[in-house]
Amino acid sequence: MIPETIDAARNGDAGAFALIVERYRQSVFRICVRILGDGDEAEDAVQETFVRAWQSLQGYDPRYSIATWLRTIACRLCYDVLRRRKRRRRYEQEALRQRGGDCARDPESDAAGRDLETLFRKVTSALAPMQKTVFVLAEIEGLPFEEVRRITGWSAVQIKSNLYIARQKVRMALEKEL
């Protein structure tokens, strides 16, 4: 991205910011959909990412890539969505238990085909939010370790341990599925 475009956007030029959105929208969406596993939620996260980016452009540090900065915003948003989803799921399961119902398997996921994307979603859905985030960034997106660290803001130990656990879980789940 041309530094002049970024500078113009930082000075309030909405047209310049629109160019940034156009340039990075697909890559931000790809990360969001891989982390969240749902196109609609990913689309919401992309929109929120760019809203937050616009609102906090003055805080952007030009020493780093604009792509890294946008990925950071998107990943943190997705991480929050995953944590809320996990809490909501626990609450719903507890409510079902209290009413005497059992937590039936999701018929939609049971009926899904065995294509790679479906298998990926199924395998990664069991990962904790932190594990899923670092797995998608490092293994799926292929980002270098240092960029994963900058995006997440987590320590090297946190990233390495969560990535190790995620790889183990994915490997075991794939062996079970295949």
Side-chain angles (χ1 to χ4, degrees):
M1 179 62 40
I2 301 172
E4 293 81 26
T5 304
I6 296 169
D7 289 341
R10 289 180 77 193
N11 290 323
D13 184 343
F17 188 72
L19 292 173
I20 293 171
V21 171
E22 183 180 318
R23 168 77 169 88
Y24 294 102
R25 188 177 192 307
Q26 281 302 93
S27 66
V28 170
F29 178 78
R30 189 177 60 241
I31 287 173
C32 291
V33 80
R34 286 180 171 162
I35 292 174
L36 297 173
D38 178 86
D40 292 335
E41 277 186 322
E43 192 60 49
D44 291 344
V46 169
Q47 288 177 5
E48 184 63 23
T49 295
F50 285 109
V51 167
R52 288 186 184 186
W54 174 253
Q55 292 171 340
S56 59
L57 259 174
Q58 294 307 313
Y60 166 68
D61 185 349
R63 291 180 300 166
Y64 301 107
S65 157
I66 189 87
T68 299
W69 184 65
L70 292 169
R71 287 181 186 129
T72 300
I73 296 169
C75 284
R76 290 181 181 169
L77 276 166
C78 291
Y79 180 71
D80 290 342
V81 169
L82 290 174
R83 287 191 354 229
R84 281 192 304 270
R85 187 190 295 167
K86 188 174 182 179
R87 278 194 300 263
R88 185 176 62 235
R89 196 176 310 131
R90 269 197 308 251
Y91 173 77
E92 290 168 352
Q93 288 174 344
E94 183 59 32
L96 276 173
R97 258 193 299 281
Q98 288 176 354
R99 287 193 307 243
D102 79 58
C103 298
R105 293 178 59 152
D106 181 12
E108 184 176 304
S109 64
D110 286 345
R114 284 188 157 263
D115 67 307
L116 190 57
E117 195 65 30
T118 301
L119 183 59
F120 170 77
R121 271 192 230 112
K122 185 175 182 181
V123 167
T124 59
S125 68
L127 297 176
M130 195 179 247
Q131 294 164 4
K132 189 171 186 177
T133 302
V134 296
F135 185 79
V136 166
L137 292 174
E139 295 296 326
I140 307 302
E141 290 295 315
L143 297 178
F145 181 83
E146 192 56 35
E147 188 164 357
V148 173
R149 193 187 61 71
R150 271 196 298 267
I151 287 170
T152 61
W154 299 327
S155 72
V157 171
Q158 287 175 305
I159 293 169
K160 287 177 183 177
S161 64
N162 279 284
L163 187 55
Y164 175 79
I165 293 167
R167 286 174 178 154
Q168 297 290 48
K169 286 182 177 180
V170 167
R171 184 178 298 118
M172 289 187 317
L174 284 173
E175 287 170 358
K176 196 161 96 174
E177 288 296 317
L178 300 175

